[in-house]
Amino acid sequence: MKYDRINNSLYVKNRKQFIEKMVGHTLAIFNSNDIFPISADSTMPFQQHRDILSLTGVDQEESILVLFPSCSNEAHREILFLKETNDHIAVWEGEKLTKQAAFETSGIKTVYWLQQFPTIFKQLMADATGIYLNTNEHLRANTEVETREDRFIKKVKQDFPAHQVLKSAPIMHKIRSVKDAIELELMQKACKITEAGVRRLLQFIKPGVWEYEIEAELAHEFLRNRSKGFAYTPIVASGKNACVLHYIENNQQCKDGDVILLDVGAEYANYASDLTRCIPVNGKFTPRQNEVYNSVLHVKTEAQKLLVPGTIMTDYHKQVGLLMEEQLVNLKLITLDDIKNQNPEWPAYKKYFMHGTSHFLGLDTHDVGLWNEPIQAGMVFTCEPGIYIPEEGLGIRLEDDLVVQESGEPFNLMKDIPLIAEEIEDLMNA
Ligand code: GLY
Ligand code: MN
Ligand code: MN
């Protein structure tokens, strides 16, 4: 791990919160992610399942967490199963968690090797009446790949058809969406690393630079600050490329007079930061670029004020739509008639602003959370309005990461990252 060990009080607290929500004489199981193959003998770097991270901090493949709070054997109320290390693994892969290190990481006293899992699990299931299974219920989850968790769920359902099945996902979504102070510190660190990357770029970007050179500068700055790298695939989109929302080719040369949209963020300790800034290639926005930029900035400034306890995100998104509508009329991109005649299912502003304004942020970039409940202090959201005008070769989005406070405006984890157009120009020309 590149990051410093995290205080395990975070995981003790998260497990306590999970257990408090469990009902009946039941247990809950959480599996790690697989290491995904590429081909021949290569694999993707390991990415731990976010729920295991959230409940244990154990950042190692094949680990399993069992929670069985009503188990008569006190030692089995929390169990961690780990892959047993050996001399061969030590030589080829290096250090793996010992039982003591796993205890120090997670605060879980009972740590067994993985080969004991089938026997102990059978005993626990004979005692329990039901099992919490951990399915992926993220609203935008869309994958055909069967995960380690999916395989485990299939087997449990086959082997224990008489047990009651309960869902872990809504509990995890609740726990993970409200951040602990320890998590906020880690997220702040991720944002500071992103800031270092952006500041480096303001001195680097010039006409003729290639998008991938900008990506490389960021990667350099992130890695030298103990990040594993980008929290998500970076978007470095100059000119009209900025109008392709998921542009990740990053293979074009940046031209004098264009604006570059950068949607980039460092991860730190598996926590994501998620930033968007727009930068003029030659260090100076044209009057039109400036006008569009300031419209987006206005929507962002007003929208983020709505991220207060009690807000319902569907209402929030409607209100942001109205803010955007006003700006698009000012920019002469839509007319009052367009609004009068619009399809309520797809309002006129969507022609130039077709994505959502905010999402939960945390261990995942598009983090889990309960979208229909009022938002609470400690939740972290992005705020990222944008205006995309392909006919002008211009796309502007501005995005910061915001912590909902008990009262008042949210705390901006990216408050020190240059945002005002003139400030960006001044830094580029310093
Ligand atoms: N970078 C992904 C997003 O902004 O949602
Ligand atoms: Mn983003
Ligand atoms: Mn985002």
Side-chain angles (χ1 to χ4, degrees), residues 69-108:
S70 57
C71 185
S72 50
N73 178 354
E74 210 174 310
H76 283 176
R77 290 182 184 165
E78 292 186 331
I79 314 174
L80 200 55
F81 290 89
L82 295 183
K83 176 171 152 172
E84 184 173 13
T85 193
N86 57 39
D87 289 347
H88 178 82
I89 293 175
V91 168
W92 286 84
E93 295 178 36
E95 196 182 333
K96 295 277 170 190
L97 285 173
T98 60
K99 291 184 178 183
Q100 177 61 21
F103 163 65
E104 284 164 16
T105 299
S106 65
I108 295 173

Side-chain angles (χ1 to χ4, degrees), residues 166-215:
L166 299 106
K167 299 203 304 184
S168 298
I171 307 179
M172 287 313 297
H173 290 196
K174 208 173 181 82
I175 294 172
R176 281 178 50 188
S177 62
V178 180
K179 272 64 179 177
D180 184 271
I182 294 172
E183 295 183 286
L184 291 176
E185 217 175 285
L186 297 168
M187 293 182 75
Q188 180 66 81
K189 174 123 189 179
C191 291
K192 288 311 267 184
I193 298 173
T194 301
E195 177 180 346
V198 170
R199 289 192 182 276
R200 185 183 177 102
L201 287 184
L202 293 176
Q203 302 299 312
F204 178 78
I205 291 177
K206 301 270 177 307
V209 72
W210 290 78
E211 291 166 352
Y212 53 76
E213 292 180 299
I214 294 171
E215 183 178 339

Side-chain angles (χ1 to χ4, degrees), residues 232 235 263 274 276 359 365-366 384 397 399:
Y232 53 90
I235 297 170
D263 188 341
D274 186 4
T276 308
H359 56 80
T365 303
H366 292 168
E384 49 181 303
R397 174 164 71 251
E399 176 175 26

